[in-house]
Amino acid sequence: MIKIDLTQRAALVTGGSSGIGLATAERLLDAGAAVAICGRNPERLAQAEARLRECHPEARLIAAQCDVLDANDVAALAERIRREFGRLDMLVNNAGQGRVSTFADTTDDAWREELELKYFSVIRTTRACLPMLREAARETGDAAIVCVNSLLALQPEPHMVATSSARAGIQNLVRSMASEFAPDGVRVNSILIGLVESGQWRRRHAAQGEGKTWEAWTGELARKKQIQLQRLGRPEEAAAAIFFLASPQSSYTTGSHIDVSGGLARHV
Ligand code: NDP
């Protein structure tokens, strides 16, 4: 594997205390980047920080408690990154979770909550980080935003109606931001994931697993969903695509996406 050197660069991974975000933070630290992660739950954040420091004792690492829906939290985190890292080259908008609900059982409040989470988790962090990303792009010629999005954006599921609709809006927003920020050298892309093993799926297994082992339960899920690679994705597989889009390896790619769904996508 070609080793990418990101020692002069810094990244923020929102929701970096678990699953895909944590795997992405590991990958970026492996390449030498300074990395900030954030999440709301302090215990989960502390565990993630300990795990990252174990493998990277010398790492330039910030693990900050921050709700990406809280403008003050996000502004404080951006300020801390500027103070401690002096720069930001890569923003990974990853924090969030899906909502299982049909049109019939999604209330107005649930719609508002879902749209708020999907849109403002991207809007607030992007707005707060954009000045630093523009500065980094002026210096190096490349800065990048990666939004962790879902295949539901293109292939909606009726049992996740609000999430699917919001995800489609985010794909549209990615395209608009890519056009607006391109003249400044800031690229914007997304990954569209299918089903990736993570905290969310572990919690669903605990609640709905009916005593089945994780392997049996996820195997059944993959068959039911007709995932062509016949298994759920691993966080590090999503992280590999995020890493590509965040790093200068993809310096001529913007306004685009990578499918990480194991063949769950049915469109050409
Ligand atoms: P995890 O539950 O493992 O991780 C989610 C992370 O986001 C946690 O660190 C969580 O920490 C953080 N988070 C959630 N809400 C907020 C918030 N408001 N502010 C700050 N941090 C927050 O899930 P995944 O790794 O699976 O999910 C990563 C992203 O991928 C999410 O946006 C998810 O919706 C998306 N996705 C995942 C799929 C999958 O199959 N895994 C499928 C489609 C999309 P804390 O709770 O402590 O705040």
Side-chain angles (χ1 to χ4, degrees), residues 14-22 38-42 44-45 65-70 73 93-99 117-118 121 148-152 160 163 167 191-201 203-204 232 235:
T14 69
S17 60
S18 173
I20 296 166
L22 181 56
C38 76
R40 295 161 303 174
N41 181 301
R44 195 176 297 155
L45 201 57
Q65 199 178 348
C66 163
D67 182 342
V68 289
L69 299 184
D70 182 319
D73 273 11
N93 286 317
N94 163 76
Q97 60 187 33
R99 175 182 294 269
L117 173 63
K118 294 297 178 296
S121 61
V148 177
N149 206 354
S150 164
L151 182 63
L152 294 172
M160 294 188 78
T163 295
R167 292 294 191 190
I191 64 161
L192 298 186
I193 52 184
L195 279 63
V196 174
E197 291 179 9
S198 67
Q200 289 192 68
W201 285 108
R203 287 191 290 277
R204 285 179 200 161
L232 269 60

Side-chain angles (χ1 to χ4, degrees), residues 38-181:
C38 76
R40 295 161 303 174
N41 181 301
E43 287 84 35
R44 195 176 297 155
L45 201 57
Q47 275 171 16
E49 181 177 7
R51 174 168 150 183
L52 293 173
R53 287 207 189 278
E54 199 181 318
C55 299
H56 299 278
E58 305 297 319
R60 291 168 299 153
L61 174 65
I62 293 173
Q65 199 178 348
C66 163
D67 182 342
V68 289
L69 299 184
D70 182 319
N72 292 330
D73 273 11
V74 172
L77 176 56
E79 199 36 54
R80 186 169 167 198
I81 290 170
R82 185 180 280 286
R83 210 170 49 242
E84 293 187 25
F85 295 163
R87 61 184 305 122
L88 187 71
D89 305 80
M90 298 164 275
L91 166 64
V92 181
N93 286 317
N94 163 76
Q97 60 187 33
R99 175 182 294 269
V100 177
S101 69
T102 63
F103 186 84
D105 62 24
T106 311
T107 62
D108 284 2
D109 283 347
W111 272 105
R112 283 197 195 93
E113 252 178 46
E114 187 60 8
L115 293 171
E116 160 108 5
L117 173 63
K118 294 297 178 296
Y119 274 97
F120 283 95
S121 61
V122 173
I123 293 169
R124 292 237 166 84
T125 45
T126 301
R127 193 189 280 136
C129 294
L130 193 55
M132 282 190 284
L133 293 168
R134 285 188 165 129
E135 287 165 27
R138 267 201 297 280
E139 186 196 318
T140 65
D142 188 63
I145 299 170
V146 184
C147 295
V148 177
N149 206 354
S150 164
L151 182 63
L152 294 172
L154 305 182
Q155 193 166 287
E157 293 268 8
H159 72 285
M160 294 188 78
V161 68
T163 295
S164 299
S165 170
R167 292 294 191 190
I170 292 302
Q171 261 331 77
N172 191 288
L173 177 62
V174 163
R175 197 67 202 78
S176 294
M177 292 193 298
S179 301
E180 189 171 331
F181 307 159

Side-chain angles (χ1 to χ4, degrees), residues 234-253:
R234 292 185 286 271
E236 55 276 18
E237 292 172 319
I242 296 168
F243 182 84
F244 172 71
L245 291 173
S247 76
Q249 276 188 308
S250 60
S251 53
Y252 200 52
T253 300

